[in-house]
Amino acid sequence: MLQTPLGSLEVRIDGEQIEYAHFPVPNEKCCGGLNGRYAIIVSIRPDWRAHTISCRLRDYTGSPQDGPESGENLELYSFYRDDAKLSIGMEGDTGYLVTGDRVSDYDYDTEYLPDGVQYCLLPFTRTATFLFGIAWIRPVTETNDSQTWFGADPTLREFRALISKD
């Protein structure tokens, strides 16, 4: 289990905790001050049923500063405690029209949780590998706050390279 300054991270499939491996990701110029940067890769065999894959902070108590920090093809949620900031990122970009029609290039949805994030697999999901980007910094300041956003973006080349090795 990955230990962070805000607590340990749990990964669950359909609410059931699973064992997982985490892989260090080297810092880049845009996030050189990070204290931790990791990837969690979860593989699941498509079975044409709905599933959830979540990455959550165990026993986390929220902060008023917590919140989403999304970007293009990036769904990311950040958490704060004392002088630390932790971000968890997922690849995705889905919206729904007022008619209920789904708009996305992805075959799954994503969701923010009070203590983490999750992929929501749909009955037609064929994607089999899901990646969580994890990054934290301590102490967090106004100047370095954005580094976890860059560091936890699983669409970046360093994370993609990990999947190609998998």
Side-chain angles (χ1 to χ4, degrees):
M1 199 173 295
L2 181 58
Q3 300 297 323
T4 78
L6 277 71
S8 56
L9 289 173
E10 294 180 340
V11 174
R12 295 177 178 267
I13 297 178
D14 296 333
E16 295 292 322
Q17 188 173 336
I18 64 166
E19 295 293 322
Y20 65 88
H22 55 277
F23 306 92
V25 179
N27 289 351
E28 301 171 74
K29 187 181 269 187
C30 62
C31 56
L34 293 176
N35 303 105
R37 187 177 191 209
Y38 290 88
I40 296 173
I41 302 168
V42 178
S43 296
I44 187 169
R45 175 173 284 167
D47 64 3
W48 321 121
R49 292 184 295 168
H51 296 283
T52 59
I53 304 171
S54 64
C55 180
R56 305 172 92 149
L57 284 162
R58 176 183 274 177
D59 301 322
Y60 180 71
T61 302
S63 159
Q65 293 175 282
D66 295 353
E69 296 184 84
S70 61
E72 189 171 336
N73 298 323
L74 171 64
E75 301 291 350
L76 183 139
Y77 205 86
S78 292
F79 304 89
Y80 294 84
R81 180 181 298 142
D82 301 324
D83 67 341
K85 178 185 180 187
L86 172 118
S87 296
I88 306 174
M90 308 175 286
E91 182 174 356
D93 194 7
T94 303
Y96 284 85
L97 302 174
V98 293
T99 61
D101 292 326
R102 186 174 178 276
V103 180
S104 181
D105 291 333
Y106 293 94
D107 63 354
Y108 54 84
D109 288 345
T110 55
E111 186 173 63
Y112 297 126
L113 305 169
D115 57 355
V117 297
Q118 74 180 358
Y119 288 102
C120 301
L121 283 59
L122 305 167
F124 57 84
T125 299
R126 291 178 183 229
T127 301
T129 304
F130 297 87
L131 181 60
F132 295 100
I134 314 296
W136 67 83
I137 196 161
R138 183 181 227 171
V140 63
T141 66
E142 220 174 276
T143 308
N144 68 15
D145 185 82
S146 65
Q147 289 190 38
T148 63
W149 186 81
F150 289 106
D153 184 348
T155 67
L156 297 179
R157 158 176 81 243
E158 293 74 18
F159 285 97
R160 306 316 299 169
L162 287 170
I163 287 180
S164 65
K165 291 179 188 175
D166 192 34

Tab-separated table of all heavy atoms in Angstrom, residues 71-121:
chain	number	residue	atom	x	y	z
A	71	GLY	N	-8.287	19.062	-16.364
A	71	GLY	CA	-7.633	19.618	-17.540
A	71	GLY	C	-8.076	18.820	-18.748
A	71	GLY	O	-8.948	17.955	-18.646
A	72	GLU	N	-7.474	19.083	-19.889
A	72	GLU	CA	-7.849	18.359	-21.104
A	72	GLU	C	-7.463	16.891	-20.976
A	72	GLU	O	-6.298	16.558	-20.764
A	72	GLU	CB	-7.160	18.973	-22.321
A	72	GLU	CG	-7.677	18.422	-23.610
A	72	GLU	CD	-7.152	19.186	-24.810
A	72	GLU	OE1	-6.788	20.354	-24.671
A	72	GLU	OE2	-7.105	18.574	-25.889
A	73	ASN	N	-8.445	16.021	-21.052
A	73	ASN	CA	-8.282	14.575	-20.887
A	73	ASN	C	-7.743	14.205	-19.509
A	73	ASN	O	-7.189	13.129	-19.328
A	73	ASN	CB	-7.388	13.981	-21.980
A	73	ASN	CG	-7.976	14.173	-23.347
A	73	ASN	OD1	-9.191	14.088	-23.525
A	73	ASN	ND2	-7.155	14.462	-24.326
A	74	LEU	N	-7.891	15.094	-18.555
A	74	LEU	CA	-7.402	14.876	-17.199
A	74	LEU	C	-8.506	15.154	-16.190
A	74	LEU	O	-9.096	16.234	-16.192
A	74	LEU	CB	-6.206	15.800	-16.909
A	74	LEU	CG	-5.709	15.848	-15.460
A	74	LEU	CD1	-5.162	14.488	-15.029
A	74	LEU	CD2	-4.656	16.933	-15.305
A	75	GLU	N	-8.777	14.195	-15.349
A	75	GLU	CA	-9.656	14.361	-14.198
A	75	GLU	C	-8.759	14.211	-12.979
A	75	GLU	O	-8.107	13.171	-12.814
A	75	GLU	CB	-10.770	13.315	-14.193
A	75	GLU	CG	-11.645	13.340	-15.427
A	75	GLU	CD	-12.525	14.576	-15.532
A	75	GLU	OE1	-12.615	15.359	-14.557
A	75	GLU	OE2	-13.127	14.767	-16.594
A	76	LEU	N	-8.685	15.244	-12.163
A	76	LEU	CA	-7.733	15.252	-11.054
A	76	LEU	C	-8.387	15.897	-9.841
A	76	LEU	O	-9.105	16.886	-9.968
A	76	LEU	CB	-6.484	16.028	-11.466
A	76	LEU	CG	-5.348	16.091	-10.468
A	76	LEU	CD1	-4.024	15.916	-11.192
A	76	LEU	CD2	-5.343	17.409	-9.724
A	77	TYR	N	-8.135	15.320	-8.679
A	77	TYR	CA	-8.664	15.856	-7.425
A	77	TYR	C	-7.495	16.045	-6.476
A	77	TYR	O	-6.623	15.182	-6.380
A	77	TYR	CB	-9.687	14.881	-6.819
A	77	TYR	CG	-10.694	15.553	-5.922
A	77	TYR	CD1	-11.851	16.117	-6.441
A	77	TYR	CD2	-10.502	15.621	-4.556
A	77	TYR	CE1	-12.793	16.726	-5.632
A	77	TYR	CE2	-11.436	16.223	-3.729
A	77	TYR	CZ	-12.583	16.776	-4.271
A	77	TYR	OH	-13.508	17.377	-3.457
A	78	SER	N	-7.480	17.195	-5.791
A	78	SER	CA	-6.390	17.503	-4.866
A	78	SER	C	-6.891	17.571	-3.438
A	78	SER	O	-8.013	18.007	-3.171
A	78	SER	CB	-5.724	18.826	-5.255
A	78	SER	OG	-5.034	18.674	-6.476
A	79	PHE	N	-6.019	17.149	-2.532
A	79	PHE	CA	-6.309	17.070	-1.106
A	79	PHE	C	-5.216	17.802	-0.337
A	79	PHE	O	-4.039	17.746	-0.710
A	79	PHE	CB	-6.351	15.599	-0.660
A	79	PHE	CG	-7.321	14.777	-1.448
A	79	PHE	CD1	-6.922	14.141	-2.615
A	79	PHE	CD2	-8.633	14.657	-1.054
A	79	PHE	CE1	-7.811	13.386	-3.363
A	79	PHE	CE2	-9.537	13.908	-1.790
A	79	PHE	CZ	-9.129	13.274	-2.943
A	80	TYR	N	-5.614	18.450	0.747
A	80	TYR	CA	-4.670	19.231	1.563
A	80	TYR	C	-4.775	18.822	3.027
A	80	TYR	O	-5.879	18.544	3.524
A	80	TYR	CB	-4.997	20.723	1.473
A	80	TYR	CG	-4.784	21.333	0.114
A	80	TYR	CD1	-5.768	21.237	-0.866
A	80	TYR	CD2	-3.620	22.038	-0.176
A	80	TYR	CE1	-5.588	21.815	-2.111
A	80	TYR	CE2	-3.440	22.629	-1.421
A	80	TYR	CZ	-4.422	22.512	-2.377
A	80	TYR	OH	-4.247	23.093	-3.614
A	81	ARG	N	-3.630	18.803	3.690
A	81	ARG	CA	-3.595	18.643	5.141
A	81	ARG	C	-2.323	19.322	5.647
A	81	ARG	O	-1.230	19.042	5.135
A	81	ARG	CB	-3.593	17.189	5.570
A	81	ARG	CG	-3.562	17.088	7.111
A	81	ARG	CD	-3.527	15.688	7.664
A	81	ARG	NE	-4.694	14.916	7.304
A	81	ARG	CZ	-4.640	13.615	7.005
A	81	ARG	NH1	-3.495	12.971	7.019
A	81	ARG	NH2	-5.734	12.969	6.704
A	82	ASP	N	-2.518	20.192	6.612
A	82	ASP	CA	-1.392	20.939	7.190
A	82	ASP	C	-0.604	21.615	6.068
A	82	ASP	O	-1.155	22.401	5.331
A	82	ASP	CB	-0.518	20.026	8.056
A	82	ASP	CG	-1.303	19.402	9.202
A	82	ASP	OD1	-2.197	20.087	9.744
A	82	ASP	OD2	-1.043	18.232	9.538
A	83	ASP	N	0.661	21.242	5.891
A	83	ASP	CA	1.498	21.883	4.866
A	83	ASP	C	1.704	20.990	3.640
A	83	ASP	O	2.626	21.197	2.864
A	83	ASP	CB	2.849	22.279	5.458
A	83	ASP	CG	3.702	21.077	5.850
A	83	ASP	OD1	3.147	19.967	6.005
A	83	ASP	OD2	4.923	21.247	5.990
A	84	ALA	N	0.853	19.975	3.459
A	84	ALA	CA	1.015	19.025	2.356
A	84	ALA	C	-0.164	19.086	1.391
A	84	ALA	O	-1.296	19.357	1.776
A	84	ALA	CB	1.155	17.603	2.903
A	85	LYS	N	0.133	18.824	0.125
A	85	LYS	CA	-0.891	18.702	-0.917
A	85	LYS	C	-0.630	17.406	-1.676
A	85	LYS	O	0.505	17.092	-2.032
A	85	LYS	CB	-0.821	19.870	-1.899
A	85	LYS	CG	-1.832	19.750	-3.035
A	85	LYS	CD	-1.673	20.848	-4.069
A	85	LYS	CE	-2.690	20.702	-5.190
A	85	LYS	NZ	-2.447	21.658	-6.274
A	86	LEU	N	-1.708	16.653	-1.919
A	86	LEU	CA	-1.642	15.415	-2.678
A	86	LEU	C	-2.679	15.482	-3.785
A	86	LEU	O	-3.816	15.917	-3.546
A	86	LEU	CB	-1.942	14.206	-1.774
A	86	LEU	CG	-2.082	12.882	-2.522
A	86	LEU	CD1	-1.007	11.913	-2.064
A	86	LEU	CD2	-3.447	12.290	-2.314
A	87	SER	N	-2.300	15.077	-4.987
A	87	SER	CA	-3.231	15.038	-6.116
A	87	SER	C	-3.298	13.625	-6.674
A	87	SER	O	-2.277	12.931	-6.745
A	87	SER	CB	-2.788	16.000	-7.225
A	87	SER	OG	-2.817	17.321	-6.767
A	88	ILE	N	-4.513	13.206	-7.053
A	88	ILE	CA	-4.731	11.914	-7.711
A	88	ILE	C	-5.366	12.218	-9.063
A	88	ILE	O	-6.414	12.859	-9.124
A	88	ILE	CB	-5.658	10.996	-6.896
A	88	ILE	CG1	-5.136	10.817	-5.468
A	88	ILE	CG2	-5.809	9.650	-7.602
A	88	ILE	CD1	-6.098	10.041	-4.568
A	89	GLY	N	-4.731	11.751	-10.137
A	89	GLY	CA	-5.216	12.010	-11.481
A	89	GLY	C	-5.627	10.751	-12.211
A	89	GLY	O	-5.113	9.663	-11.957
A	90	MET	N	-6.578	10.921	-13.138
A	90	MET	CA	-7.046	9.848	-14.011
A	90	MET	C	-7.181	10.408	-15.419
A	90	MET	O	-7.458	11.595	-15.591
A	90	MET	CB	-8.450	9.362	-13.615
A	90	MET	CG	-8.670	8.981	-12.213
A	90	MET	SD	-10.426	8.561	-11.918
A	90	MET	CE	-11.170	10.180	-11.946
A	91	GLU	N	-7.040	9.570	-16.409
A	91	GLU	CA	-7.293	10.002	-17.772
A	91	GLU	C	-8.784	9.870	-18.047
A	91	GLU	O	-9.390	8.831	-17.805
A	91	GLU	CB	-6.508	9.162	-18.774
A	91	GLU	CG	-6.709	9.628	-20.180
A	91	GLU	CD	-5.834	8.916	-21.196
A	91	GLU	OE1	-4.998	8.094	-20.806
A	91	GLU	OE2	-6.005	9.202	-22.395
A	92	GLY	N	-9.380	10.938	-18.572
A	92	GLY	CA	-10.795	10.909	-18.902
A	92	GLY	C	-11.301	12.290	-19.234
A	92	GLY	O	-10.645	13.290	-18.958
A	93	ASP	N	-12.456	12.348	-19.837
A	93	ASP	CA	-13.088	13.618	-20.188
A	93	ASP	C	-14.482	13.287	-20.701
A	93	ASP	O	-14.669	13.025	-21.879
A	93	ASP	CB	-12.270	14.339	-21.249
A	93	ASP	CG	-12.671	15.791	-21.410
A	93	ASP	OD1	-13.484	16.269	-20.610
A	93	ASP	OD2	-12.160	16.446	-22.330
A	94	THR	N	-15.435	13.263	-19.804
A	94	THR	CA	-16.790	12.862	-20.164
A	94	THR	C	-17.785	13.907	-19.693
A	94	THR	O	-17.643	14.454	-18.612
A	94	THR	CB	-17.145	11.507	-19.522
A	94	THR	OG1	-16.181	10.536	-19.930
A	94	THR	CG2	-18.523	11.038	-19.946
A	95	GLY	N	-18.763	14.134	-20.502
A	95	GLY	CA	-19.846	15.026	-20.117
A	95	GLY	C	-21.164	14.444	-20.558
A	95	GLY	O	-21.216	13.538	-21.399
A	96	TYR	N	-22.221	14.973	-19.986
A	96	TYR	CA	-23.557	14.546	-20.359
A	96	TYR	C	-24.375	15.772	-20.723
A	96	TYR	O	-24.332	16.784	-20.022
A	96	TYR	CB	-24.224	13.786	-19.206
A	96	TYR	CG	-23.682	12.380	-19.058
A	96	TYR	CD1	-22.533	12.133	-18.320
A	96	TYR	CD2	-24.304	11.313	-19.684
A	96	TYR	CE1	-22.027	10.845	-18.196
A	96	TYR	CE2	-23.810	10.024	-19.562
A	96	TYR	CZ	-22.668	9.797	-18.819
A	96	TYR	OH	-22.178	8.524	-18.712
A	97	LEU	N	-25.109	15.688	-21.817
A	97	LEU	CA	-25.994	16.767	-22.228
A	97	LEU	C	-27.248	16.750	-21.368
A	97	LEU	O	-27.547	15.756	-20.694
A	97	LEU	CB	-26.358	16.597	-23.705
A	97	LEU	CG	-25.183	16.566	-24.697
A	97	LEU	CD1	-25.679	16.237	-26.097
A	97	LEU	CD2	-24.436	17.881	-24.666
A	98	VAL	N	-28.001	17.834	-21.398
A	98	VAL	CA	-29.245	17.890	-20.619
A	98	VAL	C	-30.228	16.801	-21.057
A	98	VAL	O	-31.098	16.399	-20.295
A	98	VAL	CB	-29.908	19.285	-20.698
A	98	VAL	CG1	-29.067	20.312	-20.005
A	98	VAL	CG2	-30.210	19.673	-22.113
A	99	THR	N	-30.070	16.300	-22.258
A	99	THR	CA	-30.919	15.218	-22.752
A	99	THR	C	-30.522	13.862	-22.168
A	99	THR	O	-31.218	12.873	-22.365
A	99	THR	CB	-30.815	15.125	-24.283
A	99	THR	OG1	-29.445	14.851	-24.631
A	99	THR	CG2	-31.287	16.405	-24.945
A	100	GLY	N	-29.360	13.822	-21.480
A	100	GLY	CA	-28.860	12.565	-20.944
A	100	GLY	C	-27.881	11.876	-21.867
A	100	GLY	O	-27.300	10.846	-21.511
A	101	ASP	N	-27.691	12.424	-23.074
A	101	ASP	CA	-26.744	11.833	-24.013
A	101	ASP	C	-25.313	12.037	-23.510
A	101	ASP	O	-24.949	13.113	-23.046
A	101	ASP	CB	-26.893	12.458	-25.402
A	101	ASP	CG	-28.211	12.101	-26.058
A	101	ASP	OD1	-28.690	10.978	-25.829
A	101	ASP	OD2	-28.757	12.955	-26.791
A	102	ARG	N	-24.519	11.009	-23.642
A	102	ARG	CA	-23.135	11.012	-23.184
A	102	ARG	C	-22.238	11.562	-24.281
A	102	ARG	O	-22.376	11.208	-25.447
A	102	ARG	CB	-22.746	9.577	-22.835
A	102	ARG	CG	-21.415	9.405	-22.218
A	102	ARG	CD	-21.240	7.921	-21.795
A	102	ARG	NE	-19.940	7.745	-21.235
A	102	ARG	CZ	-18.838	7.535	-21.951
A	102	ARG	NH1	-18.918	7.413	-23.250
A	102	ARG	NH2	-17.681	7.417	-21.373
A	103	VAL	N	-21.275	12.417	-23.900
A	103	VAL	CA	-20.323	12.997	-24.849
A	103	VAL	C	-18.915	12.666	-24.352
A	103	VAL	O	-18.487	13.164	-23.312
A	103	VAL	CB	-20.491	14.534	-24.941
A	103	VAL	CG1	-19.505	15.109	-25.935
A	103	VAL	CG2	-21.909	14.910	-25.286
A	104	SER	N	-18.218	11.787	-25.077
A	104	SER	CA	-16.875	11.406	-24.655
A	104	SER	C	-16.179	10.613	-25.748
A	104	SER	O	-16.819	9.905	-26.516
A	104	SER	CB	-16.939	10.551	-23.386
A	104	SER	OG	-15.642	10.195	-22.965
A	105	ASP	N	-14.863	10.718	-25.773
A	105	ASP	CA	-14.057	9.851	-26.631
A	105	ASP	C	-13.611	8.607	-25.864
A	105	ASP	O	-12.934	7.746	-26.417
A	105	ASP	CB	-12.825	10.605	-27.137
A	105	ASP	CG	-13.188	11.694	-28.123
A	105	ASP	OD1	-14.224	11.573	-28.808
A	105	ASP	OD2	-12.443	12.685	-28.212
A	106	TYR	N	-13.953	8.530	-24.589
A	106	TYR	CA	-13.568	7.407	-23.738
A	106	TYR	C	-14.734	6.445	-23.578
A	106	TYR	O	-15.895	6.854	-23.628
A	106	TYR	CB	-13.118	7.922	-22.357
A	106	TYR	CG	-11.844	8.720	-22.435
A	106	TYR	CD1	-11.874	10.101	-22.547
A	106	TYR	CD2	-10.607	8.083	-22.427
A	106	TYR	CE1	-10.694	10.840	-22.639
A	106	TYR	CE2	-9.432	8.817	-22.518
A	106	TYR	CZ	-9.485	10.191	-22.626
A	106	TYR	OH	-8.323	10.911	-22.726
A	107	ASP	N	-14.419	5.178	-23.343
A	107	ASP	CA	-15.476	4.178	-23.165
A	107	ASP	C	-15.773	3.913	-21.686
A	107	ASP	O	-16.274	2.868	-21.314
A	107	ASP	CB	-15.130	2.880	-23.900
A	107	ASP	CG	-13.873	2.188	-23.382
A	107	ASP	OD1	-13.172	2.761	-22.513
A	107	ASP	OD2	-13.580	1.067	-23.853
A	108	TYR	N	-15.452	4.876	-20.839
A	108	TYR	CA	-15.726	4.816	-19.409
A	108	TYR	C	-15.948	6.243	-18.915
A	108	TYR	O	-15.641	7.207	-19.603
A	108	TYR	CB	-14.566	4.166	-18.645
A	108	TYR	CG	-13.234	4.829	-18.912
A	108	TYR	CD1	-12.835	5.960	-18.198
A	108	TYR	CD2	-12.367	4.344	-19.887
A	108	TYR	CE1	-11.626	6.594	-18.450
A	108	TYR	CE2	-11.160	4.962	-20.138
A	108	TYR	CZ	-10.789	6.077	-19.425
A	108	TYR	OH	-9.594	6.701	-19.682
A	109	ASP	N	-16.486	6.358	-17.714
A	109	ASP	CA	-16.663	7.651	-17.061
A	109	ASP	C	-15.694	7.744	-15.888
A	109	ASP	O	-15.067	6.746	-15.503
A	109	ASP	CB	-18.092	7.807	-16.530
A	109	ASP	CG	-19.123	8.019	-17.629
A	109	ASP	OD1	-18.734	8.320	-18.770
A	109	ASP	OD2	-20.323	7.880	-17.338
A	110	THR	N	-15.603	8.923	-15.296
A	110	THR	CA	-14.798	9.134	-14.104
A	110	THR	C	-15.655	9.859	-13.073
A	110	THR	O	-16.657	10.492	-13.428
A	110	THR	CB	-13.548	9.965	-14.413
A	110	THR	OG1	-13.954	11.191	-15.025
A	110	THR	CG2	-12.591	9.214	-15.335
A	111	GLU	N	-15.242	9.757	-11.816
A	111	GLU	CA	-16.036	10.370	-10.759
A	111	GLU	C	-15.113	10.818	-9.626
A	111	GLU	O	-14.154	10.129	-9.281
A	111	GLU	CB	-17.038	9.331	-10.240
A	111	GLU	CG	-18.028	9.841	-9.251
A	111	GLU	CD	-19.072	8.781	-8.931
A	111	GLU	OE1	-18.727	7.717	-8.381
A	111	GLU	OE2	-20.252	9.031	-9.239
A	112	TYR	N	-15.430	11.981	-9.054
A	112	TYR	CA	-14.719	12.469	-7.884
A	112	TYR	C	-15.412	11.960	-6.628
A	112	TYR	O	-16.647	11.926	-6.561
A	112	TYR	CB	-14.695	13.996	-7.852
A	112	TYR	CG	-13.953	14.629	-9.006
A	112	TYR	CD1	-14.565	15.579	-9.809
A	112	TYR	CD2	-12.644	14.283	-9.292
A	112	TYR	CE1	-13.886	16.177	-10.866
A	112	TYR	CE2	-11.950	14.868	-10.345
A	112	TYR	CZ	-12.575	15.809	-11.120
A	112	TYR	OH	-11.899	16.388	-12.163
A	113	LEU	N	-14.622	11.601	-5.634
A	113	LEU	CA	-15.122	11.141	-4.348
A	113	LEU	C	-14.563	12.053	-3.258
A	113	LEU	O	-13.533	12.690	-3.469
A	113	LEU	CB	-14.660	9.697	-4.097
A	113	LEU	CG	-15.008	8.678	-5.180
A	113	LEU	CD1	-14.273	7.364	-4.937
A	113	LEU	CD2	-16.508	8.465	-5.232
A	114	PRO	N	-15.188	12.112	-2.085
A	114	PRO	CA	-14.666	12.984	-1.028
A	114	PRO	C	-13.265	12.598	-0.555
A	114	PRO	O	-12.540	13.423	-0.016
A	114	PRO	CB	-15.667	12.808	0.120
A	114	PRO	CG	-16.818	12.067	-0.418
A	114	PRO	CD	-16.420	11.437	-1.711
A	115	ASP	N	-12.867	11.340	-0.788
A	115	ASP	CA	-11.558	10.871	-0.341
A	115	ASP	C	-10.739	10.257	-1.481
A	115	ASP	O	-9.763	9.544	-1.246
A	115	ASP	CB	-11.713	9.857	0.785
A	115	ASP	CG	-12.569	8.666	0.385
A	115	ASP	OD1	-13.131	8.649	-0.733
A	115	ASP	OD2	-12.695	7.735	1.204
A	116	GLY	N	-11.121	10.510	-2.730
A	116	GLY	CA	-10.392	9.941	-3.857
A	116	GLY	C	-11.100	10.155	-5.181
A	116	GLY	O	-11.889	11.087	-5.338
A	117	VAL	N	-10.818	9.254	-6.097
A	117	VAL	CA	-11.389	9.316	-7.444
A	117	VAL	C	-11.700	7.896	-7.892
A	117	VAL	O	-11.190	6.931	-7.317
A	117	VAL	CB	-10.409	9.979	-8.452
A	117	VAL	CG1	-10.118	11.423	-8.080
A	117	VAL	CG2	-9.107	9.195	-8.561
A	118	GLN	N	-12.541	7.776	-8.949
A	118	GLN	CA	-12.789	6.436	-9.469
A	118	GLN	C	-13.141	6.452	-10.945
A	118	GLN	O	-13.720	7.414	-11.446
A	118	GLN	CB	-13.839	5.699	-8.666
A	118	GLN	CG	-15.260	6.129	-8.841
A	118	GLN	CD	-16.208	5.310	-7.965
A	118	GLN	OE1	-15.805	4.401	-7.246
A	118	GLN	NE2	-17.477	5.625	-8.035
A	119	TYR	N	-12.733	5.369	-11.593
A	119	TYR	CA	-13.166	5.083	-12.956
A	119	TYR	C	-14.489	4.342	-12.858
A	119	TYR	O	-14.656	3.460	-12.005
A	119	TYR	CB	-12.157	4.180	-13.665
A	119	TYR	CG	-10.860	4.854	-14.034
A	119	TYR	CD1	-9.715	4.663	-13.272
A	119	TYR	CD2	-10.768	5.654	-15.168
A	119	TYR	CE1	-8.512	5.262	-13.626
A	119	TYR	CE2	-9.571	6.254	-15.530
A	119	TYR	CZ	-8.446	6.050	-14.757
A	119	TYR	OH	-7.264	6.647	-15.108
A	120	CYS	N	-15.430	4.674	-13.731
A	120	CYS	CA	-16.723	4.005	-13.787
A	120	CYS	C	-16.809	3.288	-15.133
A	120	CYS	O	-17.021	3.918	-16.176
A	120	CYS	CB	-17.864	5.012	-13.648
A	120	CYS	SG	-17.816	5.945	-12.117
A	121	LEU	N	-16.606	1.976	-15.098
A	121	LEU	CA	-16.668	1.185	-16.309
A	121	LEU	C	-18.126	0.968	-16.680
A	121	LEU	O	-18.972	0.742	-15.805
A	121	LEU	CB	-15.958	-0.148	-16.115
A	121	LEU	CG	-14.422	-0.114	-16.144
A	121	LEU	CD1	-13.837	0.797	-15.095
A	121	LEU	CD2	-13.860	-1.499	-16.007
